[in-house]
Amino acid sequence: MPRLRTVVLLAGGALLAKRAMRRRIDASPLWPMPALDEPVSGRGRHSTVTRRVLVAARTEPAEGVVQLRLEGTGLPEWRPGAHIDLVLPSGTVRQYSLCGDPAESDAYTIATRLIADGRGGSREVHEQLHVGTEIEIRGPRNRFPLAPAAGSYLFVAGGIGITPILPMVRAAEAAGADWRLLYCGRSRATMPYVDEVLSLGGGRDRNRTTVVAEDEDGRPDLSFLAGLPESTEVHCCGPEGLMDAVGAAMPEGRVPRFERFSAARTEGGTAFEVELRRTGRTLTVPADRSVLSAVREAVPGVLYSCQQGFCGTCRQRVLEGEVDHRDELLTDAERTDSLLICVSRCAGERLVLDL
């Protein structure tokens, strides 16, 4: 009986402690935990775990492009279209598509183009990540999966946008699927993996891949998209201009599967107010600032990471107001009551957040 009494007392104490912890989290906006569960879109059980990997090889598959082979033990499996978060030495977090072989369990391969006028992530990769460098990664996640069992596939890639598309093409070829690839870029010298994509499918149909280099061929003719059969799934990744043009050329009502690797615009529109209900503050977010930057002045401990609408760390619950969603992560269901404050804005004059 004494042993039973001890067990009951311990169980009761654990329950009381759990309830007390929940009250503390609900009451304190500065408590260092997310206010919401992790977004489900594009996430798996490995997506937020940080791992250390070694840069085992570094090559240059095209002008201005660096490819890194990242080796580690027990790396989670992935499928075509997946990407990882790269935690750079400065603490900056950037997302890069996996372009290697999913069958490799001890290595990931990524490639990045140097963006001279970018936000510094690609420059840090090019200048600081060399063979022997250890770096942290998170993921993989996949918000750009290959459509299953399609009647046929059309892949459209622009420049470095070939990185998520390449494993898809390999998978479609291995499955004996009907596929075509349109690969566009400024010049062949700047387009990575040209030789490989031209060789894929060569045994069955040497016209599966079309390479369009603007310095030789001009801009690609997308008029053929208007006549695509309904059974053809279109996957597209590349510069915003190319993706916009592909979307506009599709038959009415047809929307391609897109992978956008550029950061969403956090500014634009008009200023609006944000009320932080639990904190008791009302802030003004100017047209040229993000909600995150304004909120951090009142709540310095609010969590965030990528600042690009990809990772979901800064997700907050919306109590009132209409949201202008600009993220690349949340599902439609998640957007009904939450937003990512690093990129999304108010579609009206006022938002009320549970913060």
Side-chain angles (χ1 to χ4, degrees), residues 20 23 50 73 87 144 169 222 233 259 269 317 330 337 353:
R23 286 195 298 270
T50 299
T73 57
V87 185
F144 185 49
V169 177
L222 301 177
E233 287 281 359
E259 170 79 312
R317 191 183 305 279
L330 299 181
D337 65 353
L353 303 182

Side-chain angles (χ1 to χ4, degrees), residues 173-312:
E173 173 65 12
D178 180 15
W179 62 270
R180 295 289 187 276
L181 168 65
L182 172 61
Y183 183 18
C184 315
R186 295 193 307 274
S187 67
R188 287 182 178 245
T190 63
M191 299 167 66
Y193 313 120
V194 168
D195 291 340
E196 179 177 353
V197 298
L198 286 172
S199 67
L200 285 169
R204 293 188 293 150
D205 184 349
R206 294 185 180 276
N207 296 319
R208 287 178 176 268
T209 298
T210 300
V211 175
V212 177
E214 290 187 13
D215 64 342
E216 301 173 8
D217 310 306
R219 293 186 177 275
D221 180 5
L222 301 177
S223 60
F224 73 96
L225 293 172
L228 281 182
E230 290 188 7
S231 60
T232 299
E233 287 281 359
V234 180
H235 298 69
C236 178
C237 182
E240 292 292 326
L242 173 65
M243 292 193 289
D244 290 344
V246 169
M250 292 285 291
E252 185 176 356
R254 296 277 301 279
V255 179
R257 294 171 182 251
F258 286 125
E259 170 79 312
R260 299 183 185 275
F261 53 83
S262 60
R265 292 178 62 248
T266 62
E267 74 285 346
T270 59
F272 55 92
E273 288 188 344
V274 173
E275 177 188 340
L276 309 181
R277 180 63 54 84
R278 284 187 284 151
T279 307
R281 295 278 301 275
T282 298
L283 315 171
T284 298
V285 180
D288 60 350
R289 292 184 64 188
S290 68
V291 177
L292 174 64
S293 66
V295 166
R296 278 181 55 80
E297 294 183 357
V299 189
V302 69
L303 297 178
Y304 70 98
S305 182
C306 74
Q307 301 185 70
Q308 298 183 81
F310 291 131
C311 72

Side-chain angles (χ1 to χ4, degrees), residues 6 28 44 66 210 218 293 329:
T6 300
S28 174
V66 163
T210 300
S293 66
L329 181 70

Side-chain angles (χ1 to χ4, degrees), residues 16-34:
L16 290 174
K18 182 177 180 180
R19 289 177 177 173
M21 179 69 74
R22 174 52 58 191
R23 286 195 298 270
R24 183 178 180 186
I25 292 173
D26 291 341
S28 174
L30 299 181
W31 182 254
M33 292 183 178

Side-chain angles (χ1 to χ4, degrees), residues 80-154:
H83 70 272
I84 58 172
D85 295 339
L86 204 63
V87 185
L88 298 172
S90 66
T92 298
V93 179
R94 292 291 183 267
Q95 289 70 38
Y96 295 103
S97 297
L98 295 172
C99 57
D101 184 356
E104 288 192 288
S105 61
D106 60 351
Y108 292 152
T109 300
I110 62 172
T112 177
R113 182 181 302 284
L114 178 62
I115 308 299
D117 57 351
R119 302 171 64 204
S122 66
R123 183 169 298 281
E124 193 168 350
V125 171
H126 279 243
E127 294 180 354
Q128 298 192 34
L129 300 190
H130 301 280
V131 173
T133 303
E134 283 194 348
I135 193 166
E136 292 184 346
I137 64 169
R138 291 196 297 261
R141 297 196 298 270
N142 198 337
R143 51 186 172 79
F144 185 49
L146 179 65
S152 61
Y153 296 95
L154 172 66

Side-chain angles (χ1 to χ4, degrees), residues 4-87:
L4 177 60
R5 185 180 298 111
T6 300
V7 171
V8 172
L9 289 173
L10 289 174
L15 180 59
L16 290 174
K18 182 177 180 180
R19 289 177 177 173
M21 179 69 74
R22 174 52 58 191
R23 286 195 298 270
R24 183 178 180 186
I25 292 173
D26 291 341
S28 174
L30 299 181
W31 182 254
M33 292 183 178
L36 297 171
D37 295 332
E38 292 177 4
V40 298
S41 50
R43 288 187 174 270
R45 66 184 185 278
H46 304 293
S47 63
T48 58
V49 176
T50 299
R51 293 176 172 81
R52 294 197 69 82
V53 293
L54 180 73
V55 179
R58 172 179 165 133
T59 57
E60 297 184 7
E63 289 181 5
V65 177
V66 163
Q67 174 183 286
L68 302 178
R69 178 182 171 85
L70 308 174
E71 294 187 350
T73 57
L75 299 179
E77 64 181 17
W78 61 280
R79 294 182 179 181
H83 70 272
I84 58 172
D85 295 339
L86 204 63
V87 185

